[in-house]
Amino acid sequence: MWTNFFKLRLFCCLLAVLMVVVLVINVTQVEYLDHETVSATFIDSSGQFVSSQVTRISRNPYCGYDQQTLSNQERMEEDSLLAALHGQVPDVGPVPFVKSTDPSSSYFVILNSAAFFKVGSQLEVLVHVQDFQRKPKKYGGDYLQARIHSPKLQAGAVGRVVDYQNGFYKVFFTLLWPGKVKVSVSLVHPSEGIRVLQHLQEDKPDRVYFKSLFRSGRISETTECNVCLPGNLPLCNFTDLYTGEPWFCFKPKKLPCSSRITHFKGGYLKGLLTAAESAFFQSGVNIKMPINSSGPDWVTVIPRRIKETNNLELSQSSGTFPSGYYYKDQWRPRKFKMRQFNDPDNITECLQRKVVHLFGDSTIRQWFEYLTTFVPDLVEFNLGSPKNVGPFLAVDQKHNILLKYRCHGPPIRFTTVFSSELRYVANELNGIVGGKNTVVAIAVWSHFSTFPLEVYIRRLRNIRRAVVRLLDRSPKTVVVIRTANAQELGPEVSLFNSDWYNFQLDTILRRMFSGVGVYLVDAWEMTLAHYLPHKLHPDQVIVKNQLDMFLSFVCPLET
């Protein structure tokens, strides 16, 4: 009997130990999953919810951004954004120039060629890239831009590029107008150059440096400033108290931190590349160079019948790519009917009794300049602000219109900004009451191209919080976001303001503001689809289309 009792006790003890072991293993596994993998739900570029398992990737330690205090939702969102963008560039080790992508040896071919296409049909183009030895490449990562266009019709639209990571790319176009439609494909940067740009973004974010002037009486000093600064020298901490956006300057030797009076761009670092790396950035060789077709580079598109056209318009309401196209030099969004504000009186009627706030960089300052030039009743009020810097103010007293422009807070590469005018967009939005007669437009992108993506994500997160609060307290406020745009590139500009950098920022901006209740002016597609050369500050015809779209959001057509 005692033997049986002892065996029973031993069995129970073993069972208890086994249960503890299983519990520990399960807890450890759960903790492992919690630290390594996160189930992320986000909205993709087409506005659809996507749920996926996103492995947490290592963050850039720059300025302690990897130690940010984030909510679970914010961390999941950041993980999904970084994972999507970091996975675009294959790591194949050092590659000699002759084995890098050669646009003149590469070619494209129209796959689904037919005698005629109908408006609304899909056109597929296969791009095959080769190196300077005319050998096919076995990996992807090149940055391509593609568009269809009809020069005589002043029509154009962008294509969606898919990288198969094997030297082949497919471009998908939607044929949106009848006539002879030509295909154009360009290599912006070879994958070998993209890896260099990625290295600079992660390891050389201070390649644009900033300075501030400190002054008290007759004593003045200038010191370097940035999001963070290296070394152990004393610092002036100008981190914003409300948003937590970091900004520091080296402390002057003789003056207090409170004596800072101006902020300005210090300059650009030189000698960033080795001779081998510089070969990947040559104008006329591998920067924004055309890739030719191995066969016909055009198709003929015929109109649809009326019934088919109505069905096509219904199918476009789901937000398919592209967002719009040019026809006779006028942008035609696919989601709604855009008005044409060809007369100053049309703009005055739209903005009557409204306050319009423009926040951001010089690309949205162009809107202020266009409106004050085109609308004679909008008279700029001289605030004594530095030229091209602001803040700026224009008034139409007769029609009760107030137009304001203010640049965003640092980092900003303007010549001279008074430190008292360095204000963050989120803080400015928090001070706006809002309402049906309040309009806000924001463009924040160009000055963040040299920094790790975490810096831009943090800035947009703060702005988005403020936008959500504004729309919560005043739902009838119109908030418009202007996206990034392509620009002209050379060997030096590519290292600081490459389209590849700005494409990343544009992707982040679209995803972070999707579903927030703001309107989007798609400046990215508007510059890529147009026949004019790319410019940081687009020509007037493109700006005019941007303003027509912006004003169409403010004063939509009555339905």
Side-chain angles (χ1 to χ4, degrees):
M1 176 179 174
W2 287 106
T3 303
N4 292 335
F5 180 71
F6 177 77
K7 289 181 178 179
L8 181 62
R9 286 188 63 184
L10 181 62
F11 175 76
C12 291
C13 290
L14 290 173
L15 184 62
V17 170
L18 181 62
M19 290 178 66
V20 170
V21 170
V22 171
L23 181 63
V24 169
I25 291 174
N26 285 336
V27 169
T28 304
Q29 186 69 13
V30 168
E31 288 181 347
Y32 173 80
L33 288 172
D34 182 59
H35 281 82
E36 298 297 326
T37 306
V38 41
S39 177
T41 301
F42 56 93
I43 303 172
D44 69 7
S45 58
S46 65
Q48 302 298 315
F49 280 95
V50 178
S51 181
S52 61
Q53 292 292 107
V54 179
T55 301
R56 283 191 176 172
I57 62 175
S58 59
R59 284 172 165 72
N60 195 306
Y62 175 70
C63 298
Y65 272 80
D66 55 337
Q67 302 297 324
Q68 285 185 91
T69 301
L70 301 175
S71 68
N72 289 336
Q73 187 175 0
E74 289 171 343
R75 189 166 294 278
M76 286 196 310
E77 177 185 51
E78 190 167 291
D79 284 340
S80 68
L81 291 169
L82 295 176
L85 294 171
H86 283 173
Q88 295 176 350
V89 186
D91 185 8
V92 295
V95 177
F97 172 72
V98 293
K99 291 185 177 297
S100 67
T101 305
D102 176 15
S104 64
S105 299
S106 304
Y107 61 89
F108 73 84
V109 59
I110 296 174
L111 289 180
N112 57 336
S113 58
F116 296 101
F117 290 84
K118 289 184 178 181
V119 170
S121 299
Q122 294 293 306
L123 181 68
E124 295 183 14
V125 171
L126 184 69
V127 183
H128 190 196
V129 297
Q130 300 187 139
D131 62 25
F132 284 88
Q133 296 176 324
R134 294 190 175 275
K135 294 180 179 179
K137 293 190 68 178
K138 303 299 183 182
Y139 56 89
D142 301 292
Y143 179 39
L144 308 179
Q145 291 174 349
R147 71 185 183 106
I148 49 174
H149 53 109
S150 299
K152 291 183 178 180
L153 298 173
Q154 295 178 309
V158 301
R160 180 169 60 90
V161 180
V162 176
D163 184 352
Y164 289 97
Q165 297 295 328
N166 59 2
F168 287 93
Y169 302 79
K170 192 175 280 187
V171 188
F172 297 89
F173 297 101
T174 301
L175 300 168
L176 296 166
W177 63 88
K180 182 178 179 180
V181 177
K182 191 177 188 303
V183 176
S184 293
V185 180
S186 297
L187 173 76
V188 182
H189 295 299
S191 58
E192 296 76 18
I194 294 296
R195 282 198 297 276
V196 175
L197 295 179
Q198 191 175 49
H199 162 72
L200 292 175
Q201 185 181 49
E202 295 174 352
D203 300 332
K204 295 284 186 181
D206 58 349
R207 60 192 182 278
V208 176
Y209 57 96
F210 306 87
K211 292 188 176 183
S212 273
L213 174 65
F214 297 78
R215 179 182 295 159
S216 180
R218 295 183 178 181
I219 302 175
S220 62
E221 295 182 62
T222 300
T223 70
E224 188 174 333
C225 308
N226 218 316
V227 174
C228 65
L229 295 166
N232 298 315
L233 293 175
L235 299 176
C236 291
N237 186 351
F238 295 113
T239 298
D240 184 65
L241 297 176
Y242 299 99
T243 62
E245 293 285 356
W247 193 255
F248 297 89
C249 296
F250 285 122
K251 190 178 184 304
K253 295 180 180 179
K254 299 179 181 179
L255 296 174
C257 295
S258 58
S259 62
R260 182 178 66 149
I261 60 170
T262 61
H263 160 95
F264 57 96
K265 178 185 68 180
Y268 299 87
L269 292 180
K270 306 293 183 181
L272 293 168
L273 306 183
T274 64
E277 291 172 335
S278 297
F280 302 134
F281 299 93
Q282 300 182 62
S283 294
V285 177
N286 50 17
I287 298 178
K288 285 206 173 181
M289 291 297 294
I291 293 176
N292 294 320
S293 172
S294 65
D297 62 354
W298 58 274
V299 296
T300 300
V301 183
I302 60 175
R304 283 181 176 265
R305 296 192 298 270
I306 295 177
K307 184 177 180 180
E308 291 176 322
T309 302
N310 292 336
N311 292 335
L312 176 64
E313 289 175 353
L314 288 173
S315 68
Q316 290 174 357
S317 63
S318 61
T320 53
F321 183 90
S323 68
Y325 62 100
Y326 283 106
Y327 190 78
K328 296 183 178 178
D329 244 357
Q330 293 180 352
W331 183 252
R332 295 187 175 185
R334 299 177 69 195
K335 278 190 174 183
F336 72 102
K337 184 74 173 177
M338 190 175 90
R339 296 177 59 188
Q340 299 296 319
F341 293 82
N342 298 324
D343 190 280
D345 291 340
N346 301 145
I347 298 178
T348 299
E349 182 183 359
C350 174
L351 297 182
Q352 191 167 2
R353 294 185 297 278
K354 287 182 171 57
V355 179
V356 182
H357 302 268
L358 306 178
F359 296 114
D361 53 40
S362 56
T363 61
I364 205 165
R365 189 189 68 219
Q366 277 191 290
W367 291 13
F368 181 93
E369 294 165 349
Y370 177 90
L371 289 171
T372 53
T373 301
F374 187 67
V375 182
D377 289 338
L378 261 178
V379 180
E380 185 174 352
F381 188 82
N382 187 1
L383 297 175
S385 302
K387 185 180 179 182
N388 297 333
V389 174
F392 299 127
L393 178 72
V395 179
D396 179 350
Q397 290 185 321
K398 181 180 178 182
H399 301 96
N400 200 16
I401 302 172
L402 181 60
L403 176 66
K404 300 179 178 182
Y405 164 77
R406 179 177 290 280
C407 67
H408 63 72
I412 190 158
R413 302 176 208 154
F414 284 179
T415 49
T416 300
V417 185
F418 295 122
S419 57
S420 60
E421 300 294 353
L422 285 174
R423 304 184 191 177
Y424 292 92
V425 174
N427 293 339
E428 294 297 301
L429 293 174
N430 288 335
I432 295 175
V433 175
K436 65 178 182 179
N437 290 323
T438 301
V439 182
V440 175
I442 303 168
V444 177
W445 59 277
S446 180
H447 300 260
F448 288 82
S449 57
T450 56
F451 291 96
L453 297 175
E454 291 88 339
V455 178
Y456 188 60
I457 292 172
R458 177 175 187 157
R459 181 61 56 91
L460 290 191
R461 191 184 294 124
N462 280 319
I463 293 174
R464 185 176 61 184
R465 285 196 198 106
V467 167
V468 170
R469 285 193 292 264
L470 173 59
L471 294 176
D472 280 346
R473 64 179 177 267
S474 302
K476 292 186 177 180
T477 306
V478 175
V479 180
V480 179
I481 307 292
R482 181 206 187 275
T483 72
N485 61 260
Q487 68 171 90
E488 68 277 19
L489 295 178
E492 186 173 15
V493 175
S494 295
L495 308 183
F496 302 96
N497 261 43
S498 167
D499 282 359
W500 181 74
Y501 289 140
N502 295 327
F503 174 72
Q504 290 183 308
L505 302 183
D506 187 69
T507 301
I508 290 171
L509 181 143
R510 291 169 189 269
R511 288 193 174 185
M512 290 188 69
F513 279 93
S514 180
V516 175
V518 301
Y519 299 99
L520 207 69
V521 172
D522 199 337
W524 187 262
E525 287 195 20
M526 286 175 146
T527 49
L528 286 183
H530 205 271
Y531 56 83
L532 286 173
H534 300 162
K535 293 181 180 180
L536 174 60
H537 301 109
D539 285 337
Q540 183 166 316
V541 62
I542 299 176
V543 176
K544 195 265 183 189
N545 277 288
Q546 292 174 4
L547 263 298
D548 284 347
M549 193 169 185
F550 165 67
L551 293 168
S552 295
F553 293 137
V554 179
C555 306
L557 283 170
E558 294 183 6
T559 57

